[in-house]
Amino acid sequence: MDVVATWEGGYRCTVRARQFELVADEPPSSGGADGGPTPTELFLASVASCFTMALFYVASKDGRTLPGLRVVASGEYDGPRFRRVRVDVRPEAEIGELHALVERALAVCYVSNTLRHAPTLEVALGGDVVVSQG
């Protein structure tokens, strides 16, 4: 799976994933033009959306629905990284056995599983790995 970011000047870049395109930028307070979400906001969006989809997946296996479900992902900075990422499941209405659904969703969410079991991070230059960590 590849996602490609192309620099457009300043802190702005266009990100392409399959046939979809979005813009990432920084707010003016960080030197950007506020043309799109920041990379860390996109990261949190990945956490929230993946966990929401995982909840839908496990609930649908039981023939259940999740009316008005919202998932909020929050990050707490510690220097140039997140020290903590919190996923807050907020149902609009009472959903029976939500605790069990959350546990099952955690097992199938690719993004939260990646955070819990960090992969090796490789940085390559022209195809040649120059840094490998993890």
Side-chain angles (χ1 to χ4, degrees):
M1 173 184 306
D2 291 331
V3 174
V4 179
T6 304
W7 179 64
E8 293 185 356
Y11 285 103
R12 182 185 174 103
C13 63
T14 299
V15 181
R16 287 188 176 81
R18 295 184 297 126
Q19 73 271 26
F20 304 101
E21 183 175 290
L22 59 99
V23 172
D25 200 352
E26 292 287 336
S29 61
S30 297
D34 212 18
T38 68
T40 51
E41 289 167 335
L42 292 171
F43 172 78
L44 292 173
S46 294
V47 173
S49 60
C50 190
F51 205 77
T52 301
M53 291 178 189
L55 281 166
F56 163 76
Y57 174 77
V58 297
S60 67
K61 290 288 187 187
D62 296 343
R64 300 173 67 189
T65 61
L66 304 170
L69 177 71
R70 292 182 337 133
V71 175
V72 178
S74 307
E76 188 176 310
Y77 284 117
D78 180 23
R81 68 178 198 93
F82 283 127
R83 179 176 67 85
R84 183 175 71 117
V85 173
R86 178 185 174 117
V87 177
D88 189 3
V89 178
R90 299 179 182 176
E92 183 177 86
E94 185 65 30
I95 298 172
E97 301 177 20
L98 186 56
H99 219 251
L101 288 176
V102 165
E103 290 291 328
R104 289 171 51 207
L106 194 56
V108 298
C109 175
Y110 280 74
V111 176
S112 63
N113 277 317
T114 299
L115 288 173
R116 292 183 319 146
H117 309 285
T120 299
L121 174 63
E122 293 182 348
V123 178
L125 185 58
D128 296 325
V129 174
V130 293
V131 176
S132 181
Q133 299 174 338

